[in-house]
Amino acid sequence: MISLPGLNLSSQPAQAQSVPAEAVTRTQDLAANTEYRFEVGFSRTLTVKLQSGTAELFGTELAPSTTYSFTGTNGAIFTWHGCKLDVGGDVESDYVAEETPMMSFANLHFALENLRDRSIASGSTEMGPRVLIVGPDNSGKTSLVKTLTAYAVKTDRQPMVVNLDPRQGMLSVPGSFSAAAFSSIVDMEEGWGSSSITGPSPVPVKMPLVYHYGLKDPEEGRTFKSLVTRMALAVTSRLEEDKPSKQAGFIIDSSGAISQGKNGVYDSIEHIVSEFSVNVLITLGSERLYSDLSRKFNARTTDPSESVSVLRLDKSGGCVARSEDYMRSLRHAQIKEYFFGRGDEPLAPSSQTADVADLHVFRIVEPDPSGSYTTVDEYGISVEKPLFEPVKVDERMQNQILAITTAGPKDSQDVIRDASVRGYIYVASVDEARRKVKLLSPLPGGTLDTALVVGSWPEPVEGLVG
Amino acid sequence: MSLPAAAAEVAADFRDALQDLRMNSRPEISNLTLIAKENTEYAEAISTELEKHIRSTRPEWKLPALYVLDSIVKNVGTPYTVYIGRNLYRTFMDGYLVMDQTTRKNMEGLLKTWKMPVPESMDPRPVFPTEVTQDIENALAKFRAAQQQVQRPQHALPPRPPSLNVAWKGTSTPPQNAPRYVAPNDPRARPAYPPTPQQGPSAHAPTPPPAYHQPQQQAPPMSSVDLADLKTEVTQLIGATQNIFAQNPTDAALRMKLSALLSLKQVLDTQTLPPQQLEAVRQQVRALAPPPAPTPTLAPSTPVYPPQHAMPPGYPPQFPPMSAPPNLAQLLPGFRPPMQPTPQPAPAPTPSALNLAELLKRVSSPAHTNAAPVPAPYQPPFQGLPPPISTPVPVVQAPPPAATPPVNLAALLAQFNKPGAAPSMPSTPTQSAPFPQLPPQATTTAPALGSAEWLLRALSSVPNGTPANGTPIASQPMARQPSAPVNLMEQIELTTVSMKKPRLHLVSRLYEAKPNICATCGRRFESTPEGKEKKARHMDWHFKVKDPDAAKRGVSRSWYIPEKEWIEYREVDETAPNQSNDPSSTTGATKLKKQTKDRYVSVPQDVTLQQVPCPICQEKFETQWNVEANDFVWMDALNVGGKVYHATCFEEYSKGAGIEMPGTPDSVLGKRKAELGTNGEGKKIRAY
Ligand SMILES: Nc1ncnc2c1ncn2[C@@H]1O[C@H](COP(=O)(O)OP(=O)(O)O)[C@@H](O)[C@H]1O
Ligand SMILES: [Mg+2]
Ligand SMILES: [Zn+2]
Ligand SMILES: [Zn+2]
């Protein structure tokens, strides 16, 4: 069924994850309103099972008869009512924390619920809350977004979640921006869950809309704002007709980079707020950011319907300052997961061979070291560089992932920039002499005659196959 | 983990799942079967659990459990047939004797199939060895003979082996059968035979099981089931009141009522109250049911609390005399059944004795959701009364009691709580008025009996009880909290300061509001009939995706959907009904006209049909998982007159032949569902 010429794919899924067969477990008692925090590296596995009481991981409740296993994850299992956990396997570190910001997270959820009820009461003419979460790297933004999403789902809402952080993908690879409505449980072990696959999934799959940004930092690229605009357009269009999602509103996760600001100006944040009509702006951790933003947006409130509530929540003491190494491993794990799935539910990617000449690859043009996008043309006039330049696949592209866009190779740069993504392929090897490329594709079939976009982010991933 | 411990754990899981089984729910039965199938190494423990459950559960829940037994022995077979076979005589007969006539028929039907081989199985042997089934047959024959001779049902006990003859007197049944509160429609409150029409309530005493005969000085304790019901009632009431309060945030009476309810919830969750107090609480809860929408016919001064009602003669005194159950008609004056008016029956003699609990019970009783008819509950005093759902409202003209629509409870309650004109805008000055006994700011006068304030005071005088039966730790946080502040339900301000306020009581909306948790994934469901249905569909979905062959089929990541499709895409909730039936329903009208090659049919269940190629090109179909259909499908396929073709093949052919392409995809799945409905009860589960 799967053709694997020249690639040794079969070894991959097997090594993906090894859950200890009969782990020794211990009992972890948790008093009400405390949490069990853990850091588990990529080579270890922690197993957790709820023995009694109730417990949740970033808002998603642990099922009483399921053993969860975590690899390459930091997290906290919090309990409102107290619980006993069966904990097994092995961790980098773990401890119990009594001070958590969960009450404020829950309060935020209940406050958003009021807004959702208001949307329903308006007969869905009003949209539910439009939330943007900002804050420095590792301040717990994504964890908060997950918690709010999980609570909303638990309340039978169907919130839309938008990820605008290229450092970490949501239901997709790093470097992508995505949006998806969550009507079903947020996966416990996989972060967000899985996008759709060609078979049944024990956790309902999510259906993301994906764009490719392809650079590490939102502020460095020229396509960030356009993609935000495009995403906002798509999300708004969807919500116009999708009543349950419109009532629930959306939650936007962002990159720490846009919270740095330049002399107190937060250009990207302002752009997101205006494009998505954000009306709840949550800052995590940074006092300075909060004060800058609340000054900015409170000054603007002339029309109450356009007012933005700026709030500051405390950063959780559990937030882990993830190192560059850790982040790289995380990116690699996300890419691997895209093609191969997870250990217990492996996916079967397909290998294909293509002629170099048949691939229409567009490389995202990056600024020169001075940060400038201008160049001098043959007449000595300084002009702005194009967004993309067409390139031929060569050995330097080995181990990179290419975004398969919906744009045609002859389309204008703007069209390519705004095109959504159908999926990613991985350049396994390039035979320059024979002008052949071996590619790893998520599934057999599919055509590669559209514009393929490649950027410097995520960086090449070695050893994905073979 | 040691083997016995694991066995105990599996058994406990199985028991938990069984406890939820209250009707013939295919998904739940399938799920239980699956547990049994996946844990054959613990077959003995599981079999014991199953036997215990069948023996001890209420008569009306025994049949579903027997269907589980049936499903396991037929679908899994050994070793279950061995373990269950050992005690089958007892398991079967114990149940049979306390059943009503219809259920007995169902049981006999099951027995018949146990004497035969599993249908479509290669194994020619009967499901259970003949010796096992023969013993039962013999007993049944004697029983029938005895039944014909003796009129009085209580004397119709068949001769039974010594090991059996204690069973139905209740000694072998668990202590739940000890003296306890008996709901009027509890089948245990009547003899083993359906009451004859002449049997008045007092006639029910000829020779009842001794347990029910004992004089009861005190109000009998509320069973845990009733307590759960009460909690649900309170939770629902809280939700409803919150909604109303959201519309009327300045209404002091509402606010007080809400905080009373919240405190009550806290007390119920954390303390064990003596039964009398529980009963009193129950009365109060009913009195607190949201003020009905004002109707012109409702006299503004109608007290929500009726004067004491005389009990119908012989009516078992269930309630402390201090307060009679509120009149249903008064509880529901604004409620009009959604059906068309039909000639109104004569006013019921004593409709006042119907209370919300009974209403809830009846609406959610298996008899309404389950095809198997259960004899009418014991309710002689109300015989002239139509089903409770359509209880006529005496004050209102021509209330239309409809046939017997299985109105779902949620809808009913929604009606019941409707705050005046539907989608009411925040400014609508809705009902602060119909709360007659609570004079605004009447702080000086003694609170009216049944008022929120009264309840608040009553609750504050409740001594701290022992922790509720749950895990003690589970109840700590609620108990620790100071009693609910009065302004809890104010809109939560979206400010930094407001986010820091502790509002632990709100967390119950994420937990207690949905007490029914899926043990596999942690999703929670309300304990309403609607919630139960959702859970059933959810379990069905778990079962479906647990396809053990899925991994072997080479599952891959799909392409993401493109922008336009995504905008039109709607989430598919696995708990929503009929999601997979009609592919066009989830995708919007724009996609009705599918590309020929995108048409699909679900893969037929029948193994031989799976092998049949396309009649035109003789090639096989490509099997794929289809998210839209939530099923395995054949792509590029079309069902024409029961035969499946490649859609593209058929299109080509139809062009040449000058016939029309069928417009709507005739999905095999749809057909299968239709067939399912007509299948015999016991066979249903085998379709999956
Ligand atoms: N309460 C907590 N306990 C343990 N780890 C946590 C907690 N909250 C967050 N983390 C971990 O800290 C890291 C940073 O949090 P994250 O939410 O990803 O921050 P951000 O999105 O702002 O970068 C993540 O690995 C996350 O899993
Ligand atoms: Mg993040
Ligand atoms: Zn589940
Ligand atoms: Zn064909």
Side-chain angles (χ1 to χ4, degrees):
Chain A
M1 183 172 181
I2 312 152
S3 55
L4 309 170
L7 288 180
N8 178 20
L9 294 188
S10 52
S11 67
Q12 270 314 119
Q15 77 176 52
Q17 193 190 355
S18 51
V19 182
E22 262 309 309
V24 190
T25 64
R26 62 182 180 84
T27 296
Q28 173 72 55
D29 265 302
L30 282 185
N33 303 315
T34 65
E35 68 186 19
Y36 168 70
R37 292 176 180 161
F38 56 84
E39 287 179 47
V40 188
F42 288 88
S43 55
R44 303 175 196 238
T45 299
L46 166 75
T47 63
V48 178
K49 183 171 185 287
L50 181 65
Q51 206 180 83
S52 65
T54 68
E56 54 186 53
L57 177 86
F58 298 140
T60 299
E61 199 173 338
L62 271 69
S65 64
T66 298
T67 302
Y68 297 94
S69 49
F70 302 96
T71 293
T73 313
N74 309 320
I77 292 174
F78 175 83
T79 176
W80 291 107
H81 303 105
C83 70
K84 276 187 173 37
L85 302 171
D86 279 333
V87 175
D90 150 44
V91 296
E92 258 67 33
S93 75
D94 60 353
Y95 64 99
V96 172
E98 301 199 335
E99 210 170 293
T100 78
M102 285 307 286
M103 191 66 244
S104 63
F105 288 13
N107 278 330
L108 176 55
H109 162 73
F110 292 118
L112 297 180
E113 281 296 294
N114 286 339
L115 298 178
R116 291 173 182 137
D117 284 339
R118 216 161 74 187
S119 166
I120 292 174
S122 78
S124 303
T125 51
E126 258 179 67
M127 198 184 278
R130 287 126 14 227
V131 186
L132 169 63
I133 318 270
V134 298
D137 283 343
N138 301 319
S139 57
K141 297 183 293 298
T142 305
S143 307
L144 174 58
V145 176
K146 275 187 193 165
T147 307
L148 294 175
T149 306
Y151 284 170
V153 167
K154 217 170 173 179
T155 318
D156 287 330
R157 310 287 190 185
Q158 189 188 291
M160 187 72 76
V161 180
V162 179
N163 176 40
L164 297 176
D165 182 5
R167 296 206 320 159
Q168 200 176 338
M170 178 192 76
L171 301 169
S172 190
V173 299
S176 67
F177 293 159
S178 55
F182 282 77
S183 64
S184 50
I185 252 160
V186 179
D187 190 280
M188 193 83 64
E189 297 156 322
E190 210 166 340
W192 282 105
S194 167
S195 68
S196 74
I197 56 178
T198 62
S201 161
V203 173
V205 294
K206 317 293 186 275
M207 291 295 230
L209 170 66
V210 181
Y211 298 96
H212 192 60
Y213 175 64
L215 299 173
K216 179 182 181 185
D217 185 343
E219 315 263 67
E220 85 188 72
R222 286 174 292 170
T223 59
F224 180 78
K225 284 190 181 172
S226 322
L227 284 178
V228 168
T229 303
R230 184 77 185 188
M231 178 74 96
L233 205 64
V235 168
T236 319
S237 309
R238 160 111 179 225
L239 296 197
E240 250 347 286
E241 298 297 323
D242 188 347
K243 288 276 141 56
S245 286
K246 183 173 185 181
Q247 292 159 357
F250 51 76
I251 308 166
I252 308 171
D253 194 3
S254 70
S255 159
I258 66 169
S259 293
Q260 273 157 14
K262 295 192 176 79
N263 307 319
V265 177
Y266 302 85
D267 208 23
S268 302
I269 293 180
E270 283 184 45
H271 183 68
I272 299 171
V273 168
S274 91
E275 294 301 277
F276 281 91
S277 308
V278 166
N279 64 349
V280 180
L281 177 54
I282 308 293
T283 68
L284 267 173
S286 168
E287 292 272 11
R288 161 107 193 271
L289 180 65
Y290 170 64
S291 112
D292 285 351
L293 289 177
S294 52
R295 200 176 316 127
K296 158 115 208 120
F297 289 102
N298 286 340
R300 228 160 57 177
T301 53
T302 38
D303 177 358
S305 73
E306 298 208 326
S307 75
V308 181
S309 308
V310 185
L311 276 69
R312 176 177 177 272
L313 295 188
D314 288 333
K315 167 181 168 175
S316 166
C319 286
V320 179
R322 295 169 292 177
S323 67
E324 244 330 294
D325 277 352
Y326 180 92
M327 289 308 288
R328 191 181 314 112
S329 304
L330 185 66
R331 291 193 292 276
H332 291 199
Q334 281 201 325
I335 293 169
K336 190 163 154 191
E337 196 173 301
Y338 173 76
F339 291 102
F340 293 99
R342 288 172 53 85
D344 42 350
E345 286 127 33
L347 297 178
S350 143
S351 144
Q352 300 177 2
T353 305
D355 284 335
V356 168
D358 292 340
L359 301 178
H360 314 285
V361 182
F362 294 83
R363 179 177 285 286
I364 301 166
V365 174
E366 295 194 35
D368 59 33
S370 72
S372 159
Y373 279 105
T374 54
T375 183
V376 177
D377 71 5
E378 64 233 60
Y379 306 107
I381 299 168
S382 129
V383 291
E384 181 163 344
K385 290 186 197 166
L387 296 176
F388 305 96
E389 58 187 7
V391 290
K392 282 289 158 221
V393 176
D394 59 23
E395 273 170 359
R396 285 172 302 169
M397 225 178 268
Q398 195 161 324
N399 298 335
Q400 283 220 288
I401 58 167
L402 314 179
I404 306 170
T405 69
T406 50
K410 299 224 165 62
D411 280 334
S412 73
Q413 299 240 327
D414 289 1
V415 172
I416 295 175
R417 175 196 63 197
D418 291 344
S420 75
V421 169
R422 299 305 309 278
Y424 289 89
I425 47 173
Y426 174 76
V427 181
S429 66
V430 182
D431 185 338
E432 285 190 349
R434 291 176 48 236
R435 308 189 51 75
K436 293 273 184 205
V437 197
K438 268 177 196 152
L439 299 168
L440 185 65
S441 168
L443 72 169
T447 49
L448 294 174
D449 53 8
T450 60
L452 307 175
V453 172
V454 63
S456 58
W457 190 262
E459 71 279 81
V461 180
E462 270 157 52
L464 195 61
V465 289
Chain B
M1 196 184 294
S2 68
L3 197 73
E9 198 179 314
V10 169
D13 283 353
F14 188 82
R15 179 174 55 228
D16 289 347
L18 259 181
Q19 235 116 50
D20 287 340
L21 181 74
R22 309 213 158 157
M23 53 179 175
N24 289 340
S25 149
R26 179 168 50 81
E28 287 188 58
I29 293 174
S30 304
N31 187 42
L32 283 156
T33 307
L34 194 74
I35 299 179
K37 186 174 184 171
E38 286 177 350
N39 295 287
T40 43
E41 64 269 49
Y42 309 123
E44 185 161 22
I46 289 176
S47 303
T48 310
E49 275 317 328
L50 184 55
E51 287 167 356
K52 259 199 279 182
H53 176 78
I54 294 174
R55 209 180 316 137
S56 61
T57 195
R58 302 163 60 140
E60 67 268 44
W61 298 338
K62 286 187 202 293
L63 185 64
L66 280 161
Y67 281 136
V68 173
L69 185 156
D70 179 66
S71 170
I72 291 176
V73 295
K74 286 180 183 162
N75 290 296
V76 190
T78 49
Y80 289 97
T81 40
V82 178
Y83 292 123
I84 293 176
R86 283 182 196 162
N87 296 320
L88 189 66
Y89 179 87
R90 182 174 170 174
T91 309
F92 189 94
M93 289 310 294
D94 278 5
Y96 188 85
L97 292 169
V98 297
M99 296 291 192
D100 62 80
Q101 222 41 56
T102 324
T103 315
R104 286 184 182 164
K105 279 274 169 299
N106 286 329
M107 290 183 70
E108 287 163 22
L110 277 181
L111 180 64
K112 207 176 281 169
T113 65
W114 293 344
K115 294 190 288 185
M116 296 186 286
V118 179
E120 293 152 35
S121 150
M122 307 297 288
D123 191 338
R125 289 172 302 173
V127 176
F128 282 109
T130 331
E131 318 84 79
V132 174
T133 44
Q134 197 53 51
D135 278 353
I136 301 175
E137 280 292 352
N138 295 344
L140 289 186
K142 282 183 199 153
F143 177 75
R144 282 190 208 105
Q147 201 180 11
Q148 266 155 23
Q149 285 164 15
V150 189
Q151 285 305 309
R152 306 288 297 182
Q154 284 75 15
H155 301 292
L157 280 181
R160 282 179 300 162
S163 68
L164 259 182
N165 64 16
V166 281
W168 102 281
K169 290 244 156 117
T171 35
S172 76
T173 32
Q176 287 103 290
N177 269 0
R180 60 191 288 238
Y181 168 79
V182 178
N185 59 346
D186 186 334
R188 281 166 308 188
R190 51 187 156 87
Y193 289 84
T196 51
Q198 312 92 292
Q199 265 180 321
S202 49
H204 130 267
T207 42
Y212 306 118
H213 222 30
Q214 287 170 2
Q216 291 167 354
Q217 307 293 359
Q218 289 189 332
M222 250 178 148
S223 76
S224 61
V225 176
D226 300 324
L227 181 59
D229 282 352
L230 180 57
K231 283 187 186 174
T232 313
E233 257 177 64
V234 173
T235 309
Q236 278 162 346
L237 204 47
I238 289 173
T241 313
Q242 278 168 346
N243 288 342
I244 300 175
F245 187 59
Q247 315 291 335
N248 306 279
T250 51
D251 188 329
L254 268 178
R255 174 185 300 175
M256 193 185 280
K257 177 174 163 188
L258 244 183
S259 63
L261 284 168
L262 288 163
S263 327
L264 169 60
K265 180 97 200 351
Q266 198 176 314
V267 171
L268 287 179
D269 284 341
T270 53
Q271 299 175 21
T272 304
L273 298 186
Q276 300 92 321
Q277 282 193 29
L278 271 183
E279 203 41 64
V281 162
R282 191 210 281 269
Q283 305 295 323
Q284 295 317 313
V285 168
R286 287 182 192 141
L288 278 174
T295 48
T297 43
L298 179 67
S301 59
T302 307
V304 170
Y305 231 65
Q308 283 199 9
H309 283 278
M311 289 291 180
Y315 194 81
Q318 304 156 24
F319 302 104
M322 53 168 282
S323 52
N327 183 326
L328 177 68
Q330 284 163 333
L331 277 176
L332 303 174
F335 170 62
R336 282 183 192 77
M339 311 302 278
Q340 288 310 304
T342 50
Q344 190 185 351
T350 48
S352 55
L354 265 181
N355 59 37
L356 184 58
E358 283 170 31
L359 186 72
L360 289 168
K361 263 191 206 124
R362 296 222 204 145
V363 175
S364 58
S365 99
H368 289 271
T369 44
N370 180 348
V374 172
Y378 164 67
Q379 46 168 326
F382 320 127
Q383 246 152 30
L385 211 61
I389 303 148
S390 46
T391 300
V393 181
V395 222
V396 182
Q397 278 306 320
T404 48
V407 175
N408 85 30
L409 180 64
L412 181 71
L413 287 172
Q415 289 279 348
F416 167 50
N417 295 328
K418 211 162 245 166
S424 40
M425 308 308 281
S427 57
T428 319
T430 36
Q431 40 243 285
S432 28
F435 210 68
Q437 358 41 345
L438 188 71
Q441 268 80 39
T443 36
T444 45
T445 49
L449 183 74
S451 70
E453 205 185 332
W454 180 90
L455 183 56
L456 269 182
R457 291 199 189 174
L459 287 170
S460 60
S461 64
V462 169
N464 277 344
T466 46
N469 41 356
T471 22
I473 36 169
S475 54
Q476 277 172 12
M478 297 305 196
R480 218 193 275 148
Q481 259 182 266
S483 68
V486 174
N487 64 343
L488 311 171
M489 293 317 302
E490 305 268 50
Q491 293 270 321
I492 298 172
E493 260 187 298
L494 260 173
T495 62
T496 299
V497 176
S498 161
M499 293 300 109
K500 297 202 162 120
K501 287 191 189 142
R503 296 187 183 88
L504 278 170
H505 56 279
L506 290 185
V507 172
S508 67
R509 294 202 213 163
L510 297 171
Y511 284 86
E512 288 87 345
K514 294 184 168 184
N516 204 346
I517 188 170
C518 166
T520 308
C521 74
R523 182 165 177 173
R524 282 180 177 269
F525 300 89
E526 286 172 3
S527 66
T528 58
E530 203 191 1
K532 281 179 186 148
E533 263 171 45
K534 277 189 167 191
K535 188 177 182 198
R537 285 191 289 262
H538 176 78
M539 298 316 293
D540 193 14
W541 172 84
H542 271 304
F543 185 67
K544 255 179 137 170
V545 299
K546 226 171 178 172
D547 183 350
D549 296 334
K552 290 176 223 136
R553 292 192 219 225
V555 173
S556 306
R557 170 100 40 218
S558 305
W559 300 118
Y560 303 131
I561 49 180
E563 202 174 59
K564 183 163 184 302
E565 238 173 85
W566 183 83
I567 290 169
E568 285 160 7
Y569 181 78
R570 298 293 172 266
E571 295 303 311
V572 185
D573 184 353
E574 80 277 0
T575 66
N578 295 328
Q579 27 139 339
S580 54
N581 241 345
D582 176 11
S584 59
S585 67
T586 52
T587 49
T590 42
K591 283 186 66 201
L592 256 179
K593 243 188 121 238
K594 279 183 180 293
Q595 289 277 306
T596 305
K597 65 173 175 42
D598 290 339
R599 301 181 77 159
Y600 59 83
V601 301
S602 290
V603 176
Q605 290 290 296
D606 188 319
V607 196
T608 48
L609 282 183
Q610 284 169 9
Q611 304 302 319
V612 177
C614 165
I616 298 174
C617 70
Q618 294 303 321
E619 276 179 31
K620 289 223 177 137
F621 294 91
E622 185 197 337
T623 302
Q624 245 183 41
W625 175 260
N626 187 299
V627 184
E628 200 179 58
N630 196 20
D631 201 356
F632 280 103
V633 301
W634 283 343
M635 289 311 291
D636 182 19
L638 190 62
N639 188 327
V640 185
K643 273 204 178 112
V644 182
Y645 301 83
H646 281 121
T648 43
C649 287
F650 193 86
E651 188 180 44
E652 206 124 290
Y653 158 79
S654 62
K655 270 189 211 144
I659 49 175
E660 235 175 63
M661 277 288 278
T664 29
D666 178 11
S667 96
V668 174
L669 188 70
K671 278 193 116 178
R672 195 205 310 164
K673 290 239 156 136
E675 278 161 18
L676 258 181
T678 61
N679 266 350
E681 289 268 68
K683 251 204 122 197
K684 259 190 187 173
I685 43 164
R686 301 187 56 79
Y688 272 77

